[in-house]
Amino acid sequence: MQKQIKSALISVFYKDNLENIVKKLGEQGVTIYSTGGTQKFIEDQGVKCVAVEDLTAYPSILGGRVKTLHPKVFGGILARRENPQDLEQLKQYEIPEIDLVIVDLYPFEETVKNTSEEQAIIEKIDIGGVSLIRAAGKNFKDVVIVASKDQYADLENVLTANNGATTIEDRRKFAAKAFEVCAHYDVAISQYFLNNEPGDYFQVSVKEGQVNRYGENPHQRGVFYGDLNEVFNKLHGKELSFNNLVDVDAACQLIQEFTETTFAVIKHTNVCGIASRPTLSAAWEAALAGDKESAFGGVLVCNKAVDAQTAASINEIFFEILIAPSFDADALTILQGKKNRILLEQKQPVKSKYAYKNVLNGVLLQDVDNGNYKEWNDVGARPANAAEKADLEFANIVCKHLKSNAIALVKDKQLVGKGCGQTSRIDALRHAIEKSAQFNFDLKGAVMASDAFFPFNDCVSIAHEAGITAVIQPGGSVRDNDSIEFTKANNMVMVMTGMRHFRH
């Protein structure tokens, strides 16, 4: 059922790209009601406008807090056109029907980003706008509601195509968007008052949905909600896929734990190579050496500017994505030689406070694992020397970023073997040792990190046999002493951190 727009209420904060709509409404003979700055804008387009104050016989009061909250406005929006009693009351109280409402909301989120002054933030909590949006959305059978400048183009197309008439499908679509806008706005306000801590309801609202080519697999739909431009400048390459985004997040979470020049390779969210060295080129070579097979098609990440020497070396292998804080001009020239290769310049760290998982028709929420160790408790045969301590700290961070059950073997700040995602910690260690042998690493003097405790001394025994001299683990098993006694008997270092790092 089509309805002709004969009257409109327009009151907006953002007036960009509104000119064509205002002029088209004027051409179509639509009566326009407006307020303040919007009224002046409309009149500046040469279009007649009725002040809301003239309709309500009340001025804008309380410093602009109350402008449209009046029965003559809301009655005209909420009246059911098929209801004789509603129409009689409109006539009785001289209330005009309003067929189109164009309003937006005060920029609350932008204000929160730009100031900490509470009064300025509070004043950007919109009251009238939200009320108008909800009223018009509720009466979508008769009223068109446009609640965001993002919909101006859609409205202009409808007005042009149907000469100012709308279908019920049009109005329902605009209403759905309007309630989305209100819901997002309310979540932002609630989170401000909660200081971004969890409340009684699980509330997350993120704009800027970006449809991926597909999800994890081609038969799955995928959408990313967030603003990648806040974190990256994309300098080259195709669009990031669902799986790319998951790996990029894992890479960024890992690399921001290191201050020394470090390069890492990520595959399916697991670290398959990482090293810290005095130069980026050396760090890259050492990271790649950790697992040259797995690096194929991986995500690369570093924490220093990519120079030409490093770029030339990287360019020799196939990879999906390279993330760096910056790229030298000549390095970019080298790396942009392949059109699909994605190059991301990271502008700021990933600042996630919470991690979420959907399970059992619900949502699990937890703090992001920002810790590394609670204590440094030497319980083995001797304290770690300086080199061992540096490697143990390095290994502990790497292990934290591997899927459980996880083991990381490190030597000279280079990952030389890893086992991840295993159902047995022994299997994880065996896999790590096999990987180190595959790439000809000598484990004599290497260190081992485990994401969780050892319930028996089997892992430390296997590690000792492989040449590993130092172990870091959280401790907490009722049989911790079995592993401790083994290290004491075999001149091994064992550090207990008191902090587990499961990653499922």
Side-chain angles (χ1 to χ4, degrees):
M1 180 175 60
Q2 287 199 341
K3 283 185 174 288
Q4 191 70 34
I5 295 172
K6 298 178 181 178
S7 60
L9 171 67
I10 307 177
S11 180
V12 296
F13 187 89
Y14 295 106
K15 301 167 183 66
D16 316 37
N17 302 318
L18 189 60
E19 298 95 329
N20 289 346
I21 291 172
V22 167
K23 289 176 181 177
K24 191 166 290 293
L25 292 173
E27 292 167 2
Q28 293 171 347
V30 174
T31 301
I32 300 176
Y33 301 92
S34 191
T35 62
T38 306
Q39 178 185 346
K40 181 179 184 306
F41 173 84
I42 293 170
E43 291 171 343
D44 286 346
Q45 310 309 309
V47 178
K48 291 183 180 180
C49 184
V50 178
V52 166
E53 291 92 331
D54 294 340
L55 172 64
T56 64
Y58 272 89
S60 173
I61 62 173
L62 307 182
R65 281 188 164 196
V66 181
K67 295 190 287 284
T68 56
L69 295 167
H70 193 280
K72 283 206 171 183
V73 174
F74 282 85
I77 295 171
L78 284 164
R80 293 157 291 190
R81 311 309 197 247
E82 77 284 359
N83 186 311
Q85 290 180 324
D86 284 6
L87 297 179
E88 181 60 34
Q89 287 186 324
L90 291 186
K91 184 177 179 181
Q92 178 183 355
Y93 295 109
E94 299 181 336
I95 300 173
E97 294 179 9
I98 296 176
D99 306 312
L100 168 66
V101 175
I102 304 176
V103 296
D104 58 11
L105 302 174
Y106 292 155
F108 179 82
E109 290 175 282
E110 291 88 338
T111 305
V112 170
K113 287 180 182 178
N114 295 328
T115 183
S116 59
E117 185 186 345
E118 184 165 85
Q119 191 55 44
I121 293 169
I122 296 303
E123 287 305 317
K124 287 299 183 287
I125 297 177
D126 207 312
I127 304 300
V130 172
S131 303
L132 290 166
I133 291 169
R134 292 181 65 85
K138 178 175 181 176
N139 204 24
F140 73 94
K141 288 184 179 180
D142 297 304
V143 180
V144 181
I145 171 61
V146 175
S148 165
K149 63 181 180 180
D150 297 338
Q151 291 183 289
Y152 289 171
D154 293 336
L155 176 62
E156 185 177 350
N157 290 337
V158 169
L159 293 175
T160 302
N162 300 319
N163 195 29
T166 62
T167 65
I168 186 66
E169 291 78 16
D170 293 330
R171 297 190 293 276
R172 181 182 288 274
K173 186 185 296 183
F174 280 114
K177 177 65 176 179
F179 284 114
E180 277 189 358
V181 169
C182 285
H184 176 81
Y185 198 73
D186 286 343
V187 168
I189 294 169
S190 172
Q191 290 300 310
Y192 170 75
F193 281 103
L194 288 169
N195 196 27
N196 291 314
E197 294 295 328
D200 293 335
Y201 298 86
F202 176 69
Q203 296 186 122
V204 177
S205 183
V206 183
K207 293 191 289 187
E208 309 294 338
Q210 175 184 319
V211 177
N212 304 128
R213 294 193 300 275
Y214 48 80
E216 282 185 285
N217 301 290
H219 64 278
Q220 295 171 270
R221 188 168 67 98
V223 184
F224 170 70
Y225 292 95
D227 186 1
L228 287 175
N229 294 325
E230 282 188 351
V231 185
F232 302 112
N233 290 322
K234 186 159 82 70
L235 304 179
H236 185 70
K238 60 186 179 181
E239 292 302 312
L240 289 158
S241 70
F242 184 100
N243 291 330
N244 288 158
L245 290 166
V246 174
D247 282 336
V248 166
D249 179 71
C252 292
Q253 297 283 359
L254 169 68
I255 203 67
Q256 64 195 29
E257 300 231 38
F258 295 90
T259 54
E260 189 176 352
T261 300
T262 302
F263 216 117
V265 184
I266 307 295
K267 196 71 173 288
H268 300 167
T269 75
N270 282 303
V271 195
C272 60
I274 184 170
S276 293
R277 292 290 183 269
T279 67
L280 192 66
S281 179
W284 157 248
E285 295 292 349
L288 178 63
D291 189 343
K292 293 179 181 179
E293 286 185 350
S294 297
F296 182 86
V299 172
L300 316 182
V301 64
C302 61
N303 59 1
K304 295 293 186 290
V306 177
D307 55 75
Q309 180 184 353
T310 308
S313 181
I314 294 170
N315 200 48
E316 294 176 3
I317 75 160
F318 168 70
F319 65 90
E320 287 266 4
I321 303 166
L322 171 57
I323 309 161
S326 61
F327 295 79
D328 292 353
D330 47 0
L332 264 182
T333 300
I334 294 168
L335 294 168
Q336 288 175 333
K338 295 183 180 178
K339 67 177 183 178
N340 287 331
R341 179 182 284 166
I342 301 169
L343 304 177
L344 299 176
E345 182 179 66
Q346 188 171 358
K347 297 189 286 189
Q348 63 176 348
V350 176
K351 299 176 182 177
S352 304
K353 188 174 183 180
Y354 301 112
Y356 315 104
K357 287 186 180 181
N358 63 308
V359 296
L360 304 172
N361 300 329
V363 177
L364 283 171
L365 179 150
Q366 66 173 347
D367 296 330
V368 169
D369 185 0
N370 286 323
N372 285 320
Y373 52 85
K374 188 182 296 182
E375 58 194 15
W376 188 275
N377 189 10
D378 281 298
V379 296
R382 56 185 175 81
N385 61 40
E388 287 171 329
K389 183 171 184 181
D391 277 352
L392 287 168
E393 289 177 327
F394 187 98
N396 193 51
I397 293 172
V398 172
C399 192
K400 169 184 165 182
H401 291 269
L402 292 169
K403 294 280 188 178
S404 300
N405 286 319
I407 293 288
L409 306 182
V410 166
K411 188 174 182 181
D412 299 329
K413 295 186 180 177
Q414 178 187 24
L415 182 64
V416 295
K418 77 335 188 144
C420 49
Q422 302 300 310
T423 54
S424 158
R425 196 157 304 280
I426 297 175
D427 284 345
L429 175 55
R430 286 173 178 154
H431 186 213
I433 293 172
E434 287 170 7
K435 272 289 185 183
S436 68
Q438 179 184 352
F439 297 106
N440 301 313
F441 286 108
D442 179 4
L443 291 181
K444 186 177 180 180
V447 307
M448 174 174 74
S450 173
D451 63 329
F453 60 64
F454 299 116
F456 306 101
N457 68 5
D458 41 20
C459 280
V460 290
S461 174
I462 294 169
H464 172 66
E465 185 179 342
I468 292 164
T469 59
V471 179
I472 187 167
Q473 55 124 332
S477 168
V478 294
R479 299 186 62 170
D480 273 347
N481 202 50
D482 290 0
S483 295
I484 293 171
E485 289 304 314
F486 184 93
T487 60
K488 286 182 176 179
N490 290 278
N491 195 36
M492 294 177 70
V493 172
M494 177 171 281
V495 175
M496 289 188 175
T497 66
M499 182 174 286
R500 190 182 72 190
H501 291 296
F502 275 166
R503 187 165 178 253
H504 292 147

